[in-house]
Every structure is written in C-alpha cells, then in structure tokens.
Amino acid sequence: DGGITQSPKYLFRKEGQNVTLSCEQNLNHDAMYWYRQDPGQGLRLIYYSQIVNDFQKGDIAEGYSVSREKKESFPLTVTSAQKNPTAFYLCASSTRTALVVGYTFGSGTRLTVV
Amino acid sequence: AQSVSQHNHHVILSEAASLELGCNYSYGGTVNLFWYVQYPGQHLQLLLKYFSGDPLVKGIKGFEAEFIKSKFSFNLRKPSVQWSDTAEYFCAVNQDYGGSQGNLIFGKGTKLSVKP
C-alpha cells in the first residue's frame, strides 16, 4: 500500500542532544512537508521541499534542519538549539500539480525531551 | 498575515445533535479549502475539499461544508453527530496560483466531544 511512514512513533531525547526523525513516502509525490502539532496551536509548518535537493523554511524553522537527497525521504533533525522541542511531529507529502487533492499525512512521531 | 481561524476550541454535543464548526480565512485571490479530521490516536485524514464548482461540498461520513466567498468562510456541518465523530477537526487553506499551489495553512483545530 502507498503511504507515508514515520519512525519512530515515540522518541525520547536528553537536553542538548540532536535527534533525527525519519519520513519515507512511496507515493511518488514531489513535495514533502514537516509540521509540528502542539495542543491548541494546530499544525505549524517547519520546513518543506518541492523537489529533490531543494527545501525552504516554514514558519517555525529555527532549531530544525532537513535534507532531501532522495525523492522518497525527508528526514528532520531537531537540534539542541530548539528551545521547546517536546511536541508531536507530522510529515506530509503532496503532488505539485493544480489537481492536488490535499496532503497525505504520516502517523507522526511524538518527541519528548527528558 | 495570512491566517485561518477556527472559532471554537472545544465543542461538546450529545448524539444526534447538529454540528457546525466555523472556519474563516484571510487570503485574497483563489483558494483551495480543506477539512481534516484526527481521531484519537490516529493520523490526519481528509474529510472533504473544495477546489471549484458547487460551493456545497460533501465529504465522507455524512459531513459537508459550504464555501461562502463573500464571507471568506468554509464551515463544516453534519446534521446528526455520533459518538464516533469525537475527534479534532482542522480547517486548512492554500492559495491557488493556477499552475501551482501555496503551502497548506492550518487553523488551530476544534475538538469535538460527542456524549453518548
């Protein structure tokens, strides 16, 4: 079945450590996105990539980094510079044509800083 | 700044009550509109979408939404809710530039709790 796989589902990190969240899709979508979900805040865009080897900052990119070396993969690194990293992280993908039918979302990774 | 507003943070209804969740956006120009649902412990799923044509859009599970361009609104409705509709609902909008689209911007979400 086509879809988006995020791993791990739960992640614990010590303060001061970097951690990388995985996102893989087999939908042949060009565009991929990372959102952060906090209670009462909705979804806020961290980074997005419309094409391989290219990505742009979203609304809350500080303290995060990404790469897009393959069409299928868009990993997100939460660095020690991110002051409040505990959150639920969602990866999504979409086509780029005008007939896009919205985004397909992964099941998310819950990151907790301990 | 471009934004999406959902009027209610938490709505509590009894089964069989009617539902209307408000959504307003602040973009000018052509937009695409979406409602997503997140059931407890599950990932976001698309409920319905509007690109063009009939402004009354029907989605899955008996939900519908009406696009009123003059009011910049895209309210979600269901005539009779069920306990299984308990979830968080997100309105989302992106700008349509013809051959491409802007990023999807989400509202803050509305939690719906349906009492059996």
Side-chain angles (χ1 to χ4, degrees):
Chain A
D1 288 338
I4 297 181
T5 301
Q6 289 188 242
S7 61
K9 191 170 183 177
Y10 298 96
L11 190 56
F12 296 88
R13 187 195 92 177
K14 291 183 179 179
E15 280 194 35
Q17 287 182 337
N18 292 354
V19 64
T20 298
L21 282 59
S22 170
C23 178
E24 304 276 334
Q25 55 100 357
N26 59 3
L27 299 164
N28 200 32
H29 285 171
D30 289 303
M32 296 186 74
Y33 311 82
W34 274 105
Y35 284 89
R36 171 180 169 140
Q37 186 178 10
D38 296 283
Q41 297 283 333
L43 278 72
R44 294 179 290 170
L45 184 63
I46 304 172
Y47 267 98
Y48 63 100
S49 168
Q50 300 281 9
I51 198 167
V52 175
N53 292 322
D54 188 42
F55 49 82
Q56 283 78 41
K57 293 181 179 180
D59 299 320
I60 55 166
E62 185 175 349
Y64 300 98
S65 66
V66 294
S67 63
R68 188 85 187 278
E69 297 176 1
K70 298 187 299 182
K71 187 175 185 178
E72 303 79 17
S73 178
F74 191 42
L76 173 75
T77 297
V78 184
T79 74
S80 56
Q82 169 49 236
K83 299 206 182 328
N84 185 20
T86 294
F88 188 55
Y89 291 88
L90 284 166
C91 179
S93 69
S94 74
T95 64
R96 292 184 65 206
T97 70
L99 297 177
V100 69
V101 291
Y103 293 8
T104 300
F105 283 87
S107 56
T109 293
R110 187 166 298 280
L111 173 64
T112 302
V113 174
V114 297
Chain B
Q2 300 165 338
S3 65
V4 178
S5 299
Q6 291 185 240
H7 311 307
N8 307 100
H9 178 60
H10 192 185
V11 172
I12 302 172
L13 295 173
S14 298
E15 276 195 317
S18 64
L19 170 71
E20 181 160 2
L21 302 181
C23 173
N24 287 89
Y25 62 94
S26 64
Y27 298 95
T30 304
V31 295
N32 303 311
L33 300 147
F34 306 82
W35 275 97
Y36 282 86
V37 61
Q38 189 174 35
Y39 297 103
Q42 297 189 26
H43 61 276
L44 277 162
Q45 301 172 40
L46 183 64
L47 259 184
L48 48 79
K49 61 188 183 295
Y50 172 81
F51 288 157
S52 62
D54 188 344
L56 184 61
V57 179
K58 295 194 183 299
I60 61 172
K61 304 186 180 187
F63 286 91
E64 65 179 32
E66 185 174 13
F67 172 47
I68 303 179
K69 190 173 182 179
S70 61
K71 294 185 178 180
F72 297 88
S73 70
F74 190 55
N75 292 354
L76 181 71
R77 300 194 292 248
K78 186 170 184 179
S80 176
V81 295
Q82 300 172 323
W83 176 79
S84 59
D85 293 323
T86 295
E88 191 159 15
Y89 294 80
F90 294 93
C91 181
V93 178
N94 69 0
Q95 288 188 284
D96 192 325
Y97 303 113
S100 64
Q101 310 200 11
N103 293 322
L104 206 56
I105 305 298
F106 285 84
K108 293 187 176 182
T110 298
K111 281 189 181 176
L112 172 64
S113 299
V114 180
K115 298 183 291 184

